[in-house]
Amino acid sequence: MPVSDAPVLVSVDGAIATLTLNRPAAGNTVDLPLAQALLQAAIRCDTDAAIRCVVLTGAGKLFCGGGDIGAFAGAGDQMPAFLSELAGTLHMAVARLMRMPKPLLVLVNGPAAGAGLSLAIAGDIVIAARTAHFTAAYGSVGLSPDGGMSWHLPRLVGMRKAQEMIIANRRVSAEEGAAIGLVSRMVEDADLAGEGAKQAAILTAAPTAAIGAARSLLLASFDGPFEGHLERETRAITASGGTGECREGVTAFLARRKPDFQNGPA
């Protein structure tokens, strides 16, 4: 398959990997080939130590319009089995992106609906173009959420707003999304690529091992008693203290210089 026809484009520039949902004629909607390609890309990003930051965005005018409803209809009586495979594959991809020991930057270049909303809010940093908007959309086709939406939304915007978005299917603009914490910030459409490049450079230069540990701690922060989480923090900071990035950070601080986490001691 020519690279330009791949449902997910993967490009690596130095230590930055960019994953682009690439079904623009179909609004980058998720069918099984796209979910499989996203999983393969996520595995590559997770396991390649040379990649220090992952960027997720969409081709064309939409970020992602959710599931491919035409593919749903084509499944006919096998819809439950089809959705099980599709959601299961997408979920493996999302879990890899959430669990990888490096940051995920999402550039929401346009509207995000359904599973597209789930993918959009999975990032550590989410920058939305002004023309982007966010819609749960599942209820309009008689389905419940997937892609982690029902896990992320209450944590990001609170239960009441999550209920309104999912149950009442209320659309949220990029501007409101930034105000309520759904996204990190909003920029003008023309500035999205430039702002994304700046943020990716900042994340790439950051201490990746420490970021990976912080990501894991944040994911576990709603689980179990406080004392149990303190123990996880103790183990994480102990492990971080043994990395070359920590040695470089301490050395640079004492020398009053900027740390070089990317090229510092191993």
Side-chain angles (χ1 to χ4, degrees):
M1 175 185 293
V3 172
S4 61
D5 293 335
V8 176
L9 301 180
V10 180
S11 63
V12 179
D13 182 8
I16 301 171
T18 299
L19 313 183
T20 304
L21 306 178
N22 189 43
R23 300 185 70 216
N28 297 324
T29 50
V30 181
D31 61 2
L32 189 55
L34 186 145
Q36 291 169 334
L38 186 61
L39 173 58
Q40 292 169 359
I43 290 172
R44 176 181 174 183
C45 292
D46 184 20
T47 57
D48 187 346
I51 295 173
R52 297 173 61 85
C53 176
V54 180
V55 179
L56 176 64
T57 192
K61 295 182 178 180
L62 273 70
F63 173 74
C64 175
D68 186 333
I69 304 302
F72 291 7
D77 293 340
Q78 298 303 308
M79 175 83 81
F82 171 80
L83 289 175
S84 180
E85 182 178 10
L86 180 63
T89 304
L90 177 65
H91 289 177
M92 286 190 287
V94 172
R96 283 278 185 163
L97 293 172
M98 292 291 295
R99 294 288 184 185
M100 63 184 180
K102 58 201 71 177
L104 174 64
L105 168 64
V106 181
L107 304 181
V108 189
N109 56 293
L117 170 54
S118 300
L119 290 172
I121 61 178
D124 300 295
I125 305 293
V126 180
I127 305 176
R130 181 177 290 278
T131 55
H133 52 73
F134 304 88
T135 313
Y138 288 94
S140 61
V141 291
L143 292 172
S144 56
D146 67 349
M149 183 188 297
S150 59
W151 191 93
H152 267 123
L153 269 183
R155 288 163 169 78
L156 291 171
V157 302
M159 182 60 77
R160 280 288 171 250
K161 287 186 173 63
Q163 287 169 322
E164 189 175 28
M165 289 182 66
I166 293 174
I167 294 173
N169 200 35
R170 189 173 76 82
R171 176 180 293 183
V172 172
S173 68
E175 185 174 11
E176 182 183 358
I180 65 176
L182 183 67
V183 302
S184 306
R185 61 183 181 273
M186 180 198 73
V187 299
E188 299 300 327
D189 289 44
D191 297 331
L192 183 64
E195 287 297 314
K198 290 178 186 177
Q199 186 66 66
I202 291 170
L203 293 172
T204 300
T208 305
I211 286 176
R215 296 186 92 220
S216 180
L217 287 167
L218 287 167
L219 282 177
S221 63
F222 285 83
D223 299 330
F226 177 63
E227 290 76 10
H229 196 75
L230 289 178
E231 175 61 20
R232 285 194 288 266
E233 287 190 336
T234 297
R235 291 183 178 276
I237 199 170
T238 300
S240 297
T243 65
E245 289 179 344
C246 180
R247 291 192 294 274
E248 168 62 10
V250 171
T251 300
F253 180 86
L254 294 175
R256 299 178 182 274
R257 63 172 174 81
K258 186 177 180 179
D260 184 358
F261 292 116
Q262 193 166 354
N263 301 301

